[in-house]
Structure formats: structure tokens, C-alpha cells
């Protein structure tokens, strides 16, 4: 996917090994998808930072608890990522990362200028988005929602 480099809050480009992911198939206006990945830990690390971004918005969950939502708005040349300390949410044994991603696939004032629905997650050296993640369109969101203006965006159902 032709995404611009990720930058941190100082607008310094950051190279991370995770890949942008999205479900295969047709993408439509007001597109929402779900992604998840299970992983196992022998022990909980002393430090664990997850870095996440999306085109255009996300909500990220770890073991069923909301970690955060975002990302901060970018520009046509900058895609920001958010960082969260998640060590308190990790546990020995099986863990689950999940995300809900919404992309209007249409310019709106409240989101990063859209390119294509996509998610980027990297949790230290433990797990990152790649082809092993499960991703599918979210059946709970209706793509035919009314579009008001580029300032307001789509209505919610």
C-alpha cells in the first residue's frame, strides 16, 4: 500500500517492521473492518509499548480492554502513530490484540486524508501486523450511511 512514512510526535520518521494490513476484496465508502491476532507469552516483559496507526481511525483492544483510539490527524505527507504502554494489560499465556478500523475512503475533516482502509500495529518484538492477522469487514457497520459534508462525515447507524 502506498502509505507515507510513519512519524512520531516530533515529526521524525520512524522505521518499524510491521506492515499495513486490511481485508482482501472490494473497499467501499464508509468502510469499517475488524482485525485480530492472538499471541502467547512465557512471561510478561518489563516494558511493552504498542505503536498503532490506521487509515483513517482505529480503536485498539488488548485482552478485551480498550487501549486507545486515534490516530492524531495527519496530512497528505505525514501519517502519525500513537504509542501506548501496555505492560499492565499483558498476561502470561495467551493474549489477544484486536482493532476496529474505520476509513471513509472519501476526504473528511475529522480523519487523516484517506488512501485505503488499513491498520498498522507493532508491539515491541512480540507481535506486529502481517499476513497472519485475521481481518474482515465489520458486519455491524452499514456502508450506505448518509454522507453529510466533508466537515461532518458520515452518519452513524
Amino acid at each position: 500500500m502506498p502509505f507515507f512514512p510513519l512519524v512520531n510526535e516530533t515529526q521524525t520518521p520512524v522505521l518499524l517492521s510491521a506492515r499495513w494490513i486490511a481485508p482482501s476484496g472490494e473497499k467501499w465508502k464508509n468502510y469499517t473492518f475488524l482485525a485480530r491476532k492472538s499471541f502467547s507469552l512465557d512471561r510478561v516483559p518489563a516494558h511493552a509499548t504498542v505503536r498503532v496507526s490506521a487509515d483513517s481511525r482505529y480503536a485498539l483492544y488488548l485482552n478485551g480492554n480498550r487501549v486507545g483510539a486515534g490516530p492524531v490527524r495527519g496530512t497528505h505527507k505525514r501519517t502519525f502513530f500513537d504509542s501506548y504502554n501496555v505492560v499492565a494489560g499483558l498476561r502470561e499465556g495467551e493474549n489477544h490484540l484486536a482493532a476496529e478500523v474505520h476509513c471513509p475512503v472519501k476526504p473528511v475533516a475529522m480523519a487523516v486524508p484517506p488512501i485505503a482502509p488499513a491498520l498498522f500495529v507493532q508491539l515491541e518484538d512480540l507481535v506486529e501486523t502481517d499476513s497472519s492477522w485475521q481481518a474482515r469487514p465489520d458486519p455491524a457497520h452499514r456502508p450506505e450511511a448518509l454522507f453529510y459534508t466533508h466537515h461532518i462525515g458520515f452518519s452513524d447507524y
Side-chain angles (χ1 to χ4, degrees):
M1 292 183 195
F3 288 92
F4 294 102
L6 291 167
V7 295
N8 62 18
E9 63 280 355
T10 64
Q11 298 192 32
T12 304
V14 177
L15 297 177
L16 299 169
S17 58
R19 300 289 175 248
W20 289 96
I21 64 164
S24 60
E26 179 186 358
K27 308 302 185 279
W28 50 85
K29 294 176 188 170
N30 201 32
Y31 190 85
T32 302
F33 75 91
L34 306 171
R36 69 180 181 179
K37 173 75 175 177
S38 297
F39 61 100
S40 188
L41 294 176
D42 293 331
R43 64 177 180 77
V44 174
H47 301 92
T49 299
V50 64
R51 292 172 178 85
V52 57
S53 190
D55 188 356
S56 290
R57 299 180 307 182
Y58 72 86
L60 183 69
Y61 301 86
L62 174 62
N63 294 325
N65 297 307
R66 188 174 171 142
V67 172
V72 295
R73 283 186 241 186
T75 70
H76 66 288
K77 292 190 177 184
R78 290 179 179 86
T79 301
F80 290 96
F81 65 86
D82 298 316
S83 298
Y84 302 99
N85 179 344
V86 294
V87 73
L90 292 170
R91 57 185 176 223
E92 290 182 5
E94 192 168 60
N95 290 269
H96 308 277
L97 270 173
E100 177 183 50
V101 177
H102 174 255
C103 182
V105 193
K106 183 173 184 147
V108 294
M110 64 185 165
V112 175
I115 296 173
L119 173 69
F120 182 100
V121 176
Q122 186 160 338
L123 174 53
E124 300 288 334
D125 296 324
L126 303 173
V127 65
E128 60 190 33
T129 45
D130 60 18
S131 62
S132 68
W133 280 58
Q134 294 177 320
R136 70 179 182 120
D138 184 355
H141 284 82
R142 295 170 55 181
E144 71 276 6
L146 180 64
F147 184 80
Y148 293 112
T149 69
H150 84 280
H151 293 289
I152 298 171
F154 289 92
S155 63
D156 291 325
Y157 280 101

